[in-house]
Amino acid sequence: MFHKLHTWTVLKQMMMTTDTIVYRPEDFSGVGAEIFVVVMVISWVLTYFFNPAVLESNPLKDRVGYNNICVGWDTAPARWIAAPIYSSVIVAECRFMQLCIWRAALTPSMTNFQKWTMRIGLYLNSFAWFASIGIFSIDAMESPFGHTLSFVQLVVFRYFAFLLSLVESDPATHPPGSWVFTFLYGVSSIAFGICAMIQMTTYDPETKTRGPVPVYVMMFLDYGFFVFMSTTVHFRPKGALVRADYKLATQAEFEMVQGQEVDPFSGSQMRHRTGQQEPALTTNGYTKAVATSTVTMGCCGGGSPSIE
């Protein structure tokens, strides 16, 4: 069971003593989704036992007619535990995006259109996850609108980032049913964003009258996001893996590399492995090798030749 979890795969990589590790960037996005689910479960358990009153009445329930899943971590003590754990979700997503950039730089077949599409997608994904911290920094009891907006933008921008990952990738790497999934995901995400904002802006706090969107529609769209979030990793394009060779380097080499201009999308400082040994750098009379990265194809979907 555990060996199927993305988190377990990444933890095993962290514990490896080898000087070569092959990364599957999508594993880190999967880690983020898994931690998200875990922190949600922990939050609801804490809220149920230590602050059950909030489940009976809260500003979000007043506006949409039911307890949004996020209500579980909106109040103490759940929020005290959930917020720091949630930050690891953002870290995992950042690692996913970093590896995507490396993969793009190491893939000469990518066109400028594909690289720019990927860049826009990663920008949207970055903004969405960092802005989502408003879920915890904006108190739902004081500003339901701002709190909800932090979550809505995550839903919408995360979808567009996923859509662009399909647009910029080779159709041969698309899992079966990926475009059908993307269409349903998009309809659900955009509809949820629109309906949630309608309910937030049309609610009358004096009469406690909710907006025009039926409760069952909001619930379907809201809970649907979490279903799509937990399954997107299975419908992402099966792109190349990234192989990293770790070797010791000197401080002088570090400073030399830091002083270089590197365009992560032109690949000017990143090479494909061609069978020749990477040249070593000599500093202060002795030689140290510098870490290199390569792209390994075909490990996800099979059938593609390896770049070795």
Side-chain angles (χ1 to χ4, degrees):
M1 175 181 176
F2 288 108
H3 72 280
K4 295 183 179 180
L5 295 176
H6 298 282
T7 303
W8 179 247
T9 299
V10 171
L11 287 176
K12 285 197 300 182
Q13 290 176 337
M14 293 173 62
M15 295 183 286
M16 288 180 178
T17 57
T18 178
D19 58 359
T20 298
I21 298 179
V22 177
Y23 294 108
R24 181 168 52 193
E26 288 73 22
D27 278 335
F28 288 87
S29 182
V31 168
E34 290 168 359
I35 296 176
F36 192 100
V37 172
V38 170
V39 71
M40 186 67 69
V41 171
I42 293 174
S43 298
W44 270 90
V45 170
L46 291 174
T47 298
Y48 180 81
F49 284 105
F50 295 101
N51 193 12
V54 73
L55 301 179
E56 297 298 325
S57 178
N58 59 75
L60 295 182
K61 187 175 183 179
D62 292 341
R63 286 159 174 75
V64 297
Y66 64 97
N67 278 320
N68 173 278
I69 290 181
C70 294
V71 168
W73 61 23
D74 284 345
T75 57
R79 190 162 73 170
W80 300 339
I81 305 298
I85 299 178
Y86 185 86
S87 64
S88 64
V89 176
I90 299 176
V91 171
E93 289 291 337
C94 287
R95 180 59 166 161
F96 162 65
M97 289 181 279
Q98 178 192 44
L99 289 172
C100 285
I101 290 174
W102 288 1
R103 179 165 59 188
L106 290 162
T107 307
S109 60
M110 288 189 70
T111 65
N112 287 333
F113 170 76
Q114 290 176 311
K115 291 178 180 180
W116 273 103
T117 302
M118 185 202 68
R119 178 185 290 188
I120 294 171
L122 294 181
Y123 285 165
L124 290 175
N125 205 32
S126 299
F127 176 84
W129 282 107
F130 281 107
S132 70
I133 202 64
I135 295 171
F136 300 100
S137 61
I138 302 175
D139 193 336
M141 304 302 164
E142 298 180 3
S143 178
F145 179 86
H147 176 86
T148 301
L149 183 61
S150 299
F151 179 66
V152 167
Q153 65 82 30
L154 173 64
V155 173
V156 175
F157 287 144
R158 190 175 185 273
Y159 162 70
F160 281 108
F162 178 82
L163 172 63
L164 291 175
S165 72
L166 284 179
V167 173
E168 60 88 11
S169 59
D170 186 342
T173 66
H174 297 174
S178 57
W179 279 108
V180 174
F181 172 85
T182 302
F183 173 77
L184 296 175
Y185 184 16
V187 171
S188 175
S189 299
I190 295 173
F192 170 74
I194 294 173
C195 291
M197 290 297 97
I198 288 176
Q199 294 302 92
M200 290 296 119
T201 55
T202 58
Y203 174 74
D204 187 341
E206 295 184 0
T207 62
K208 292 192 174 182
T209 302
R210 288 194 297 270
V213 182
V215 174
Y216 65 88
V217 173
M218 281 302 308
M219 290 182 67
F220 178 79
L221 296 174
D222 193 353
Y223 297 149
F225 164 73
F226 293 95
V227 173
F228 284 114
M229 180 181 180
S230 63
T231 54
T232 50
V233 69
H234 302 294
F235 291 95
R236 286 189 183 279
K238 304 300 183 183
L241 309 188
V242 177
R243 169 177 162 175
D245 298 324
Y246 293 96
K247 299 179 182 180
L248 294 176
T250 66
Q251 178 65 26
E253 291 164 355
F254 172 79
E255 293 173 355
M256 183 189 72
V257 172
Q258 291 298 306
Q260 294 176 340
E261 292 291 333
V262 180
D263 181 355
F265 295 96
S266 70
S268 58
Q269 298 299 326
M270 305 181 78
R271 307 185 189 93
H272 276 285
R273 218 173 156 84
T274 58
Q276 295 90 1
Q277 184 175 358
E278 293 289 337
L281 299 178
T282 302
T283 307
N284 295 332
Y286 63 94
T287 302
K288 296 281 187 178
V290 179
T292 60
S293 296
T294 66
V295 167
T296 302
M297 302 291 290
C299 296
C300 288
S304 300
S306 296
I307 298 177
E308 292 290 349

